[in-house]
Amino acid sequence: MFDTAKKAISALTEIGIALLALAIVASLLVGPSNMAFLGDVVGNITALVTQLGSAGLAGLISLGVVLYLFKG
């Protein structure tokens, strides 16, 4: 039962990452003002990186945890 749930969550995460990549490419091609339903994807990612960078060690640890969760 847990394996099935883990596989389903993993598949949803992969779909989410693929959609995020598509949104980034589309935003770069047509500009954030033309992305009515997605918003400013690149701006949001830039803001997230800036927040993690200004958080110092806590931001670095948070980034490590997120990368570990995506890895495995």
Side-chain angles (χ1 to χ4, degrees), residues 49-60:
V49 170
T50 302
Q51 287 177 349
L52 286 175
S54 66
L57 183 60
L60 186 61

Side-chain angles (χ1 to χ4, degrees), residues 34-45:
N34 295 328
M35 302 289 292
F37 63 95
L38 292 176
D40 186 13
V41 178
V42 176
N44 290 339
I45 292 173

Side-chain angles (χ1 to χ4, degrees), residues 6 9-10 13 17 52 59-72:
K6 187 175 178 180
I9 292 171
S10 177
T13 303
I17 291 172
L52 286 175
L60 186 61
I61 292 171
S62 299
L63 180 63
V65 168
V66 169
L67 290 176
Y68 174 75
L69 290 174
F70 276 121
K71 181 179 178 183

